[in-house]
mmCIF file of all heavy atoms in Angstrom:
data_model
loop_
_atom_site.group_PDB
_atom_site.id
_atom_site.type_symbol
_atom_site.label_atom_id
_atom_site.label_comp_id
_atom_site.label_asym_id
_atom_site.label_seq_id
_atom_site.Cartn_x
_atom_site.Cartn_y
_atom_site.Cartn_z
ATOM 1 N N VAL A 63 140.932 47.844 86.018
ATOM 2 C CA VAL A 63 141.746 48.117 84.825
ATOM 3 C C VAL A 63 141.047 47.600 83.577
ATOM 4 O O VAL A 63 140.962 48.299 82.555
ATOM 5 C CB VAL A 63 143.145 47.476 84.969
ATOM 6 C CG1 VAL A 63 143.908 47.537 83.641
ATOM 7 C CG2 VAL A 63 143.946 48.163 86.060
ATOM 8 N N LEU A 114 135.107 88.718 23.259
ATOM 9 C CA LEU A 114 134.790 89.506 24.453
ATOM 10 C C LEU A 114 135.595 90.801 24.475
ATOM 11 O O LEU A 114 136.704 90.881 23.925
ATOM 12 C CB LEU A 114 135.083 88.701 25.711
ATOM 13 C CG LEU A 114 134.345 87.368 25.886
ATOM 14 C CD1 LEU A 114 134.831 86.673 27.152
ATOM 15 C CD2 LEU A 114 132.844 87.595 25.953
ATOM 16 N N ALA A 229 167.673 59.949 53.469
ATOM 17 C CA ALA A 229 167.993 61.062 52.578
ATOM 18 C C ALA A 229 167.280 62.288 53.142
ATOM 19 O O ALA A 229 166.110 62.222 53.537
ATOM 20 C CB ALA A 229 167.525 60.777 51.163
#
Side-chain angles (χ1 to χ4, degrees):
V63 170
L114 301 177

